[in-house]
Amino acid sequence: MAERKDIRTLPGPYRRLHDILAVHLPGDRIIADPLRCLAFGTDASFYRLIPKLVVQLRSADEVARLLSETGALGLPVTFRAAGTSLSGQSISDSVLALVAGGFRGLSVLDGGTRVVCEPGVIGADVNLALAPYGRKLGPDPASIGACMVGGIAANNSSGMCCGTAQNTYRTVESMKVVLADGTALDTADPESRARLASARPELVRGLAEIRDEIRADPALRARIAEKFRIKNTTGYALNAFVDFEDPIDILLHLLVGSEGTLAFIAEITYRTVEEQPHKASALAFFPDIGEAARATQLLAGGPVAAVELMDRASLRAVEGKPGMPPELRGLVEGAAALLIETRAGSAAALEEQIAACQLRMAPVPALYPVRFTPVKAEYERLWDVRRGLFPAVGAARRVGTTVVIEDVAFPIARMAEGTLDLRRLLGEHGYGDAIIFGHALDGNLHFVFTPDFGDVEEVTRYARFMDDVCQMVARKYDGSLKAEHGTGRNIAPYVELEWGAKAYGLMRRVKALFDPGTLLNPGVIINGDPGAHLKALKPLPRAHPIIDRCIECGFCEPRCPSRELTTTPRQRIVVQREIARLRVTAEDPERLRRLEADYAYMGEETCATDGLCATACPVAIDTGAHTKWLRAQRHAEDGAAATAAAEHFAVVGSVARAALGVANAAHAVLGTTAMSALARGARRASLGRLPLWSTAMPRPVRPRLAPTATGADLRVVYFPSCVARTMGPARGDEAPPVYAALSSLLAKARCDVVFPDRMEDLCCGMPFESKGFPAQAERKGRELEAALLAASEGGELPILFDTSPCAYRMKHLVAGSLAIFDPVEFIDRFLLPRLSLAREPGPVALHVTCSAVKAGLSETYRRVAAACAERVVVPAGVGCCGFAGDRGFTHPELNASALAALPAALPPECRAGYSSSRTCEIGLSAHAGVPYRSLAVLVDRCASTPSAARLPEARGPLGTAAAPSEETPS
């Protein structure tokens, strides 16, 4: 009923649009409720518009229909991919058309030299597909792990290495597009080009006329060519009229960087670039910006892939963080640094290039000797300096302030002068704590500062600052007001200032040719309002300490298992901020009530609390921790049942086993078909309160475990988790339970085993924590800590957990006082050196649990699996499984949505998968079509005792793994 009410309250044209679209699209892809309109209407910029209608699109035909209907009704439309854009170009107060969740087509052609992508593909996934060919996309934006191809092309995004030679404009081969009136065009198809010329003669003719006007004006033509010698995304790509003759080729290149204001890009074919395998980096320090700029000029044209400039303020922002080079602390005021990278096809060539770079830089005196390192771990630490700049400002800002990152480019010969002028203006306008860094080879500088747009005077100050900066960059230096972040809304009022009246007039004509009704993303790029950049500023009220530092960048979203079911971490935070604001202002009680009611399911119940969002977040926010806090508030007055469960935990285990036994017996009697129907019916009748049974439901187990004392040289404390003590394999799966597999492995490795006392009563506390009972979780965790301390002889013995999430929680709880090991980490460190292994043929699937990812154990998991199988497959597009403890039983739609890509990602010949958490394995088995088991089961099946047992080779100090990888599963 609420959904119908939302539609009835829409303005008339939007109601009509909804009803028309509902005939052709599933109803759940047409969104009008306040929560999701707010959530989807937010991007990474400091602007906010709330759409009246959100439409999720899945095909070019659906796009054409939408544009036809909105055109007839006169309703503006904005297309949005990942929403990582920084300049307000993916928001709307009208119709927001979402690409994310669809348009995922990806084809690698011609040995990787070309790639065809639909706009909903994440940039990093394209590079993952190209990696086996030694190729990659030319554009390399910092947001490539979250941004999508549609946004990369529509904004002509670049990055640290691509410069102006490898951006989308230079590497695009063709596009499939949908024009504002719904007309389709495939620029690679001669027949499609001919059809467009026939159907839209005024467009083709108009482009040719502008081309001819520019070519007849030598001064304008020269100015256009000069403007694009450096990075420039201000306005439209007028260089298309200079670089190309055919109007369709001009059209193709005008769409690059057009920010969705001219047409919809439905597919793009890129020419890829080589990904050179050998790299080396150096962090060079100079006494001032001028010397750093001089070194950059000497490096330009040499064998360098990237040169990143960082001023003293930016270095100061990160100098206190762990792992930073010690030289940062002792730098003189005014100093600057260059982070330099060179890449080559061979180690020998790399050495030659390093020598060439050092020779080029030699005339410029550095504060310290410049040393290049080809060691990955070492150069990654150097790049951590650069990566940490933006997060450092975001983390340190005052609550309520906005992180503004602006982006300009100077001619490289004047970069030092421009940088000093920029620093002067920041100081004059009260932004003295701002930082400046950027892509020095391109003269491209980013500056980051934190105004409080909740203060009217602060908005006025920001307006004066932007006027002065734009005058300085455009008039004094003839630079770019936007180098790579797109014009958007914040520079739209200044496009004419940079380009002049004549060029700006041509841009207005381009817009009118493509979009005569001004319905595609209005207000972006072309905007006649001189104060447009000061309107619709995003509020960032205080909500909760866990989430207040969020900068709403969206980097978290690809990691979230509920991203296509309900909301993402960014969206949850957006809604929580609005709830907090409405509670303070009391301006709309009904809206507040509705948001709070809808958030219960859309935000809290369907959050897996896996914490992977923090691994991608620039300021390390774990939105799952906030969800646990919300659950704790909800349960603040009703913790008696949780306390009773904590006090009588052995009884809880017995009840769980009994319930599993009943379900298993019913399955045996009724058969799978009848059991499934009965389970679905019971769940419907209970209105979703009863857990959903599946064929992957485990059989009950009750381990009988006894310690061993043979005098072996390795003694181990083994703690079987409560899940492993309760849940065995599914019916029909003949694999052993995890405790049996690990016990067998320990015996084969000739290890003596110790168990803690009263195991049936012990639990790490995670089930209580995830449900919002922190006191009971702490109690159980401390009970287990005491038992493990006693069993391990005061922490002297290593402690093996058989379930990754439990190991992860206890490691953090005891903070290093006990040597606790994840099961796969333990196998890798202690057992593999003591075993002989026979690898199994064929592929096996591997799922690295969220806790193991956060612990940096992804590579360890791959290594152990690869020791036992000829081929290990980590399914693409699968991260957190969404089972979330028992949530896979109570909210199975979360598990199903998170694993929607799993079946297609598995090779047809794959017969089994492996992980390290029994509940995750249940959900994976239910959706993969093959059983998932503990990785310990695979290792045990492949392992035997060597004729003479070897002593373990240490992989690190007790309680640690050797330099764990921080990578995450694909």
Side-chain angles (χ1 to χ4, degrees), residues 14-27:
Y14 294 95
R15 280 203 310 277
R16 289 196 290 277
L17 176 63
H18 173 276
D19 292 343
I20 293 168
L21 294 177
V23 175
H24 305 283
L25 299 179

Side-chain angles (χ1 to χ4, degrees), residues 181-240:
D181 63 352
T183 301
L185 167 67
D186 179 354
T187 68
D189 180 2
E191 292 185 4
S192 181
R193 294 165 75 113
R195 283 195 299 271
L196 180 73
S198 175
R200 295 289 306 275
E202 81 291 349
L203 171 59
V204 176
R205 184 173 59 250
L207 293 175
E209 289 171 354
I210 295 174
R211 175 201 63 199
D212 294 343
E213 286 182 36
I214 291 173
R215 295 186 177 192
D217 187 335
L220 178 58
R221 181 171 181 166
R223 173 159 180 74
I224 291 170
E226 187 63 29
K227 289 292 292 178
F228 287 101
R229 291 189 197 282
I230 60 175
K231 284 185 178 181
N232 192 329
T233 58
T234 308
Y236 292 122
L238 292 183
N239 49 336

Side-chain angles (χ1 to χ4, degrees), residues 494-570:
Y494 298 101
V495 175
E496 185 172 3
L497 171 69
E498 175 175 334
W499 276 99
K502 187 166 188 177
Y504 185 63
L506 294 177
M507 291 182 187
R508 294 179 67 93
R509 283 171 59 187
V510 167
K511 172 67 170 173
L513 282 171
F514 279 88
D515 180 23
T518 318
L519 297 179
L520 293 184
N521 211 3
V524 171
I525 297 184
I526 303 297
N527 195 320
D529 181 357
H533 61 305
L534 308 175
K535 297 174 180 175
L537 297 172
K538 180 190 294 183
L540 291 174
R542 185 185 301 271
H544 188 275
I546 294 176
I547 60 176
D548 282 339
R549 291 176 298 118
C550 176
I551 54 180
E552 299 186 8
C553 65
F555 286 13
C556 56
E557 293 188 335
R559 306 284 175 89
C560 181
S562 62
R563 63 188 178 276
E564 291 173 24
L565 175 66
T566 51
T567 53
T568 66
R570 168 169 63 175

Side-chain angles (χ1 to χ4, degrees), residues 467-628:
D467 285 345
D468 286 352
V469 166
C470 291
Q471 287 285 340
M472 181 265 290
V473 174
R475 292 290 170 83
K476 182 175 180 179
Y477 294 99
D478 198 19
S480 305
L481 298 178
K482 277 294 184 183
E484 59 179 6
H485 291 173
T487 308
R489 298 176 182 278
N490 51 331
I491 293 299
Y494 298 101
V495 175
E496 185 172 3
L497 171 69
E498 175 175 334
W499 276 99
K502 187 166 188 177
Y504 185 63
L506 294 177
M507 291 182 187
R508 294 179 67 93
R509 283 171 59 187
V510 167
K511 172 67 170 173
L513 282 171
F514 279 88
D515 180 23
T518 318
L519 297 179
L520 293 184
N521 211 3
V524 171
I525 297 184
I526 303 297
N527 195 320
D529 181 357
H533 61 305
L534 308 175
K535 297 174 180 175
L537 297 172
K538 180 190 294 183
L540 291 174
R542 185 185 301 271
H544 188 275
I546 294 176
I547 60 176
D548 282 339
R549 291 176 298 118
C550 176
I551 54 180
E552 299 186 8
C553 65
F555 286 13
C556 56
E557 293 188 335
R559 306 284 175 89
C560 181
S562 62
R563 63 188 178 276
E564 291 173 24
L565 175 66
T566 51
T567 53
T568 66
R570 168 169 63 175
Q571 293 166 351
R572 289 182 172 98
I573 292 172
V574 166
V575 175
Q576 282 297 305
R577 282 174 165 166
E578 179 67 359
I579 287 173
R581 188 186 72 82
L582 291 173
R583 285 173 178 168
V584 171
T585 64
E587 66 186 51
D588 193 339
E590 174 56 26
R591 177 175 169 80
L592 172 61
R593 184 202 64 75
R594 177 69 186 279
L595 289 176
E596 288 177 328
D598 288 354
Y599 190 84
Y601 178 78
M602 300 293 294
E604 188 252 292
E605 291 177 24
T606 51
C607 176
T609 68
D610 55 69
L612 285 186
C613 46
T615 66
C617 175
V619 290
I621 293 172
D622 180 355
T623 314
H626 181 255
T627 297
K628 292 174 185 176

